[in-house]
Amino acid sequence: MRYWIALSLCLPLFGLELSLQSGKEEGEKFSILHLRHTAPFVCQATNNEFGETRRVDCRFSTAPKQSLSPIDNGLLSVSASSTPKGYTITIIPKSKMMLVPEMFDLSKESQTYQSDVKKARHWNVVGYTKTLPLMNLSTPSALSINFPVKVQKNVPPYVGGLDLKGNPIKIRRVQDVTDYMEMKKAYAANDYHKVIDRAKNTLQEYPNTVFKNELILYQIRSYHQLGEYEKLLELSKKFLREYSADTSVAEVLAYTANAYSKIGQILDADYFFDRLFDEQIDSPFAAQGMIFKAEQSESSGDLKKAMMFYQKALASTSDMAVASKAAFKLAQLEMLEGNTKKSAEYIDKIATVNPNYFSEVYDHAMEIADAFVNRKDPKTAARITEALLNNTDKKLDKHQLLLKNLGMQLAKAGKRNEALKRFNEYLETYKYGEFVEEIRRAKDGLFFEEGDNNTTKEIKKYNDLIERYGNDSVGRKALYKKAQLLLKEKKYKEILDIESDLYRLDSAEYPETNAIISKSAIGLEKVHLKEGKCTEAMKLQKMYKIKLLPEWDEALFNCALKTTQYENAKKIAQRHLKSKSIQERQVWLLRMVKTQFGLGDYKGAIKGGNELITLLAAEKNPPLNDIYRTMFDAAQRVGDGEGMIRHIKSIEASYPNAFKDIERYTQMVSLGLKRKDEALTQTYARKVMVLQERTKTYTQSPYIEFTLAESYQNLGKDGDALKVLRALNARKMTNEKRSRQQYLIGAIEQKLGNKRQAREAFNASIKADQNSAWGKLAKDALALF
């Protein structure tokens, strides 16, 4: 039995209508509050920890002119308040409550479905005691489908798409779309066999489908994942032949090269690697190809070449997965070569940026962690193990092995407190674990190692003694002990902060005082050098006249250069110029040249650069080819045109199509103008234009186009000049430059006898900037018509 009592409140000025209805169902009272507005608004429910709605807030951007009086009908309590952001109506239940939006107008729409919306024009708030009235709700299954409910009564007529003659358009079946989407889902789920089957079936059923290239591509990807290289090659040849302009060509080239490599056809593999690196070097898959190439070299035993390609991949990619793989492989190879420190640097990069990668290569990660422990670097081993532990479920057996290993590695690294924390964690988590006895012995051993005092407590104790006894014997000894402990803990800055107090100590009574200060200054400078804090490092260098071992020369040189202390940098470089190692001399010669260039000693830079170029001819060192850029710049500074020409060719050979050199190419254009060498001018002007177009960066426009056009005109190539000038139509320019461009176009058109085009160009020049010299020239030109 149901009965209704309706109470309505309208606020027409606000565009809001409230309607409160009450009734009974099966003897249980309920109320329904309707909130309607002319514009969609937000109603937000606040639930308690049991999922019950305890409050609903409906917010409006403006407040009504008449206020809403509180309403309370025993089931719902309605109140309103103004806020700085608008107007809020709040509904509080006396028992239970549910918020329901109304999104569909059944007089206009033929289908409804369950919709989770944030805004609506009509909201219902149902207040009840125990059972939700008028409807039964059930929790939807995660696998269920939200079918729309069709409302057939009074459905308005519908006509589909019509052609230009008013006839219905026949729509083709779209099963190939469905198959394509299912194939992509299968690939995302790593079901590669299903991907291949679905792609083959779709191509057989719909040979002319628009997804043909994608269907072939996904098969290639799946065969790559499955390691079925022969089948991959059958499809990749077809793809590269039929879809040579597809955006996925780089990816297919990488997989093709790898497939040939895996089946032992190295010449074919190298052909496709060369294509990938020459044609698609800017693609992310170029770096992936470098990984494949490195693996090929590694398999053939050429570890040096493998490392080179891994390093190239690491330097060129922004893909975290590719970078992580390259860094890990480099870490393995450096460890194999005995370079533990270099290997640790790569491991630290992975641990910092993508620690989860270690779990992807779990077995290899465990092996290299053991190798670090054996090489007396438990700290790096702990970084690997901690990353593996953080990504391992506690329910897995390997979790307790990782936890045990981490504790042992931290203990060997001297991190007693961290090791103790891990040992306790193991004993609490695995009371009857496999390694309990081993952990207990290791934990007990921590307390018998040297330096087992708590540093923080020891420092606090010394500070208390210094404060209490001041400058008497006890205070002085506490200060000295504190300095020794701080030095042991490598807290160099804290020692230098109390330097003046330490100098007041009697050197006969405390003979190591000066050594503590000196070691602290050296230690802090090394820290600054490692962290790249060059200003601080060079300040300490000067203040304490520190002399570091030659192994720090590179860092000192870089900091001297960075802080423009070129004289210091020059002194450091000079110490290495007579090295017996050609490679070392090459590196330091380059640094010396850069220093001389920074000092403005361009002739000295050129002399040193020529010596380095001679050494590079005897022993190649591609990373040092940057010397050609410095030599070019130095030649340009001293006006040596021949030198500029000689070095720009070396730059082109070492760094083909590098946008970094665009200004140098522009300088070659200027040299061509100065020498009235049209060939030189045109060669490098065109290079600049190609680079700009490839990168969509037009830093040298419109100067370069004006110059090239003028050069063409000097040789009577008016058509070429006109083409270059018209290319500027797509560029943004100042009004004065636009006026110049249009005037030049008009002048050429006039010369060619094209009066109408000339007149149009001159008018455009005047329109662009009538007050410029070019606009005025255009006016004069028009007067001649």
Side-chain angles (χ1 to χ4, degrees):
M1 175 181 177
R2 298 174 181 162
Y3 68 87
W4 298 88
I5 302 174
L7 170 64
S8 296
L9 173 65
C10 295
L11 300 173
L13 296 177
F14 185 38
L16 171 68
E17 177 186 348
L18 276 74
S19 175
L20 182 61
Q21 301 170 329
S22 298
K24 271 189 176 183
E25 184 179 75
E26 303 298 331
E28 186 175 316
K29 293 182 179 180
F30 66 90
S31 294
I32 301 177
L33 175 64
H34 296 270
L35 297 98
R36 299 180 178 87
H37 198 279
T38 54
F41 60 99
V42 175
C43 280
Q44 185 175 2
T46 303
N47 297 339
N48 62 14
E49 61 269 30
F50 304 106
E52 297 173 339
T53 301
R54 306 312 304 157
R55 177 190 181 105
V56 170
D57 294 292
C58 297
R59 298 180 175 86
F60 308 86
S61 59
T62 58
K65 293 184 178 180
Q66 66 182 91
S67 60
L68 173 67
S69 300
I71 302 172
D72 191 337
N73 73 341
L75 289 173
L76 297 173
S77 176
V78 185
S79 61
S81 61
S82 294
T83 66
K85 294 184 179 180
Y87 191 73
T88 301
I89 293 178
T90 301
I91 304 99
I92 304 293
K94 295 301 179 69
S95 183
K96 294 186 177 182
M97 178 172 65
M98 183 176 182
L99 176 66
V100 182
E102 283 196 18
M103 291 298 296
F104 304 96
D105 186 345
L106 298 184
S107 67
K108 299 178 181 178
E109 299 170 90
S110 62
Q111 293 185 350
T112 67
Y113 51 90
Q114 185 174 344
S115 176
D116 181 15
V117 299
K118 304 298 182 185
K119 285 186 175 183
R121 287 187 173 89
H122 184 180
W123 291 86
N124 295 323
V125 180
V126 183
Y128 59 99
T129 307
K130 295 180 180 178
T131 305
L132 183 67
L134 307 178
M135 65 178 77
N136 291 320
L137 294 180
S138 60
T139 303
S141 167
L143 301 176
S144 64
I145 302 175
N146 185 17
F147 287 106
V149 177
K150 295 185 178 180
V151 183
Q152 297 297 335
K153 187 176 181 180
N154 298 325
V155 176
Y158 172 77
V159 179
L162 304 176
D163 62 16
L164 294 175
K165 296 181 179 180
N167 298 319
I169 298 173
K170 294 182 178 180
I171 307 299
R172 294 176 55 198
R173 293 180 61 190
V174 292
Q175 185 59 39
D176 58 337
V177 178
T178 304
D179 291 346
Y180 171 68
M181 298 307 296
E182 289 183 4
M183 178 198 70
K184 291 187 71 173
K185 289 180 181 178
Y187 188 83
N190 301 328
D191 191 350
Y192 304 119
H193 290 293
K194 183 176 179 180
V195 172
I196 295 167
D197 291 341
R198 183 52 56 93
K200 285 182 177 178
N201 291 338
T202 305
L203 286 169
Q204 186 175 356
E205 292 292 329
Y206 307 98
N208 296 320
T209 176
V210 296
F211 303 112
K212 187 174 181 180
N213 60 328
E214 288 286 294
L215 293 167
I216 297 174
L217 176 63
Y218 271 89
Q219 289 184 78
I220 293 171
R221 289 171 174 169
S222 298
Y223 283 133
H224 171 74
Q225 296 292 345
L226 294 170
E228 297 185 18
Y229 302 116
E230 296 284 358
K231 294 179 180 179
L232 183 153
L233 291 171
E234 292 178 12
L235 286 176
S236 68
K237 294 174 185 176
K238 177 182 178 67
F239 187 94
L240 293 172
R241 182 174 62 253
E242 297 182 5
Y243 303 104
S244 59
D246 194 276
T247 56
S248 299
V249 163
E251 181 179 3
V252 175
L253 285 173
Y255 296 155
T256 303
N258 180 61
Y260 275 120
S261 178
K262 293 298 184 184
I263 64 176
Q265 296 185 23
I266 303 304
L267 291 178
D268 291 324
D270 286 343
Y271 167 76
F272 285 98
F273 279 130
D274 290 341
R275 279 193 60 185
L276 175 63
F277 301 148
D278 291 342
E279 301 171 11
Q280 306 288 338
I281 193 61
D282 293 329
S283 168
F285 284 95
Q288 181 64 65
M290 292 173 188
I291 295 285
F292 295 149
K293 178 66 175 176
E295 290 174 346
Q296 174 184 299
S297 302
E298 192 176 353
S299 298
S300 65
D302 192 345
L303 298 186
K304 185 176 181 180
K305 191 173 183 180
M307 291 178 73
M308 179 190 73
F309 276 104
Y310 284 131
Q311 287 165 348
K312 282 186 175 181
L314 181 61
S316 63
T317 187
S318 59
D319 186 306
M320 188 181 296
V322 174
S324 299
K325 183 172 184 178
F328 190 79
K329 294 295 292 185
L330 285 166
Q332 288 180 304
L333 292 177
E334 292 288 1
M335 182 65 77
L336 192 63
E337 293 290 307
N339 302 324
T340 308
K341 184 177 179 181
K342 191 66 178 176
S343 178
E345 291 176 5
Y346 289 117
I347 292 297
D348 285 341
K349 289 180 180 179
I350 302 172
T352 301
V353 179
N354 187 20
N356 291 342
Y357 178 77
F358 293 122
S359 297
E360 297 177 24
V361 288
Y362 179 86
D363 292 337
H364 292 300
M366 292 289 284
E367 289 175 4
I368 201 169
D370 290 340
F372 277 114
V373 172
N374 295 334
R375 296 280 184 88
K376 310 301 181 185
D377 186 3
K379 181 181 177 182
T380 303
R383 292 206 72 179
I384 299 172
T385 306
E386 185 173 20
L388 291 172
L389 182 67
N390 292 338
N391 204 34
T392 301
D393 194 311
K394 289 186 177 181
K395 296 178 182 179
L396 298 177
D397 291 339
K398 62 183 179 181
H399 184 272
Q400 66 167 312
L401 172 63
L402 290 169
L403 186 56
K404 183 268 291 187
N405 286 353
L406 180 57
M408 296 294 187
Q409 291 158 3
L410 290 170
K412 290 179 180 179
K415 297 185 176 183
R416 198 193 75 164
N417 291 337
E418 294 179 37
L420 184 61
K421 177 184 175 182
R422 294 299 183 176
F423 288 153
N424 288 335
E425 181 182 348
Y426 182 95
L427 295 174
E428 291 171 6
T429 307
Y430 304 105
K431 294 182 181 179
Y432 306 102
E434 180 182 355
F435 309 106
V436 167
E437 289 303 320
E438 186 178 352
I439 292 293
R440 284 177 178 165
R441 286 195 297 271
K443 179 182 175 181
D444 291 342
L446 287 177
F447 294 96
F448 295 99
E449 295 175 0
E450 291 185 9
D452 63 343
N453 291 329
N454 183 300
T455 302
T456 303
K457 289 183 178 178
E458 286 292 297
I459 294 294
K460 186 178 184 304
K461 180 181 72 175
Y462 293 141
N463 284 338
D464 290 341
L465 291 172
I466 293 168
E467 184 177 355
R468 187 182 309 168
Y469 296 101
N471 197 38
D472 70 5
S473 59
V474 176
R476 291 195 301 272
K477 187 172 183 178
L479 177 64
Y480 186 67
K481 288 287 186 181
K482 175 184 174 180
Q484 286 182 313
L485 182 57
L486 289 173
L487 181 63
K488 183 179 179 182
E489 295 296 317
K490 298 182 179 180
K491 296 183 178 181
Y492 307 120
K493 186 177 184 307
E494 293 183 31
I495 294 174
L496 297 181
D497 287 342
I498 58 173
E499 176 183 358
S500 58
D501 295 329
L502 290 171
Y503 274 130
R504 286 195 288 269
L505 296 177
D506 186 343
S507 59
E509 187 177 359
Y510 302 106
E512 295 183 12
T513 301
N514 289 337
I516 290 173
I517 295 171
S518 177
K519 289 178 181 178
S520 299
I522 293 171
L524 186 57
E525 182 177 13
K526 290 179 179 179
V527 170
H528 288 331
L529 289 172
K530 287 180 179 179
E531 294 177 352
K533 296 180 179 178
C534 291
T535 302
E536 294 87 340
M538 299 310 291
K539 183 178 179 181
L540 284 172
Q541 174 84 9
K542 182 178 181 181
M543 184 182 299
Y544 294 95
K545 295 180 172 54
I546 297 172
K547 292 183 179 180
L548 297 177
L549 293 174
E551 65 191 65
W552 292 94
D553 280 358
E554 180 179 355
L556 279 171
F557 174 86
N558 290 336
C559 276
L561 215 59
K562 186 176 180 180
T563 55
T564 67
Q565 298 183 37
Y566 296 115
E567 289 296 340
N568 283 341
K570 188 175 180 180
K571 291 177 182 177
I572 296 169
Q574 285 174 334
R575 296 201 289 263
H576 296 269
L577 297 182
K578 295 183 180 180
S579 171
K580 294 181 180 179
S581 167
I582 294 180
Q583 287 187 341
E584 183 179 352
R585 278 162 52 202
Q586 288 176 336
V587 170
W588 284 99
L589 259 174
L590 176 61
R591 291 169 179 165
M592 173 62 85
V593 169
K594 288 183 178 292
T595 303
Q596 290 171 314
F597 187 86
L599 286 168
D601 181 10
Y602 303 124
K603 291 184 178 179
I606 290 172
K607 182 180 178 182
N610 286 330
E611 183 180 349
L612 174 55
I613 290 172
T614 301
L615 290 175
L616 289 174
E619 185 171 330
K620 303 294 183 184
N621 195 343
L624 303 186
N625 287 346
D626 192 60
I627 184 62
Y628 299 121
R629 287 171 167 155
T630 305
M631 290 291 282
F632 177 90
D633 294 342
Q636 190 269 333
R637 296 293 196 282
V638 299
D640 180 7
E642 297 300 325
M644 291 172 66
I645 293 172
R646 185 169 61 257
H647 297 307
I648 198 67
K649 288 301 176 185
S650 298
I651 292 171
E652 291 178 68
S654 301
Y655 308 101
N657 301 320
F659 187 80
K660 180 178 180 180
D661 298 309
I662 194 167
E663 290 189 6
R664 294 184 176 90
Y665 293 146
T666 303
Q667 289 170 358
M668 290 300 296
V669 173
S670 299
L671 180 63
L673 289 174
K674 183 178 179 181
R675 291 186 164 201
K676 296 182 180 180
D677 186 336
E678 304 298 348
L680 187 64
T681 301
Q682 292 177 23
T683 296
Y684 286 97
R686 285 195 295 266
K687 276 185 176 289
V688 171
M689 289 182 67
V690 169
L691 281 176
Q692 290 193 147
E693 190 60 35
R694 181 167 61 85
T695 60
K696 304 302 180 186
T697 304
Y698 303 98
T699 56
Q700 307 303 319
S701 292
Y703 163 76
I704 206 70
E705 286 84 357
F706 287 155
T707 303
L708 181 56
E710 182 180 352
S711 180
Y712 278 142
Q713 283 187 277
N714 290 342
L715 297 180
K717 297 181 178 181
D718 294 325
D720 290 338
L722 194 60
K723 184 178 179 181
V724 171
L725 290 171
R726 289 197 182 281
L728 287 171
N729 288 339
R731 306 284 171 266
K732 290 184 178 180
M733 293 188 292
T734 64
N735 292 340
E736 190 271 340
K737 292 288 193 293
R738 181 67 69 195
S739 180
R740 178 183 179 183
Q741 176 220 7
Q742 292 297 324
Y743 172 80
L744 294 174
I745 290 173
I748 296 174
E749 294 285 15
Q750 185 180 31
K751 182 180 178 182
L752 295 174
N754 301 326
K755 292 183 178 181
R756 181 179 59 81
Q757 291 90 334
R759 187 181 294 108
E760 290 175 354
F762 287 141
N763 282 325
S765 174
I766 296 168
K767 183 179 179 181
D769 190 348
Q770 63 180 354
N771 296 320
S772 69
W774 303 102
K776 292 175 181 178
L777 284 174
K779 288 180 183 178
D780 294 340
L782 283 175
L784 299 175
F785 281 90

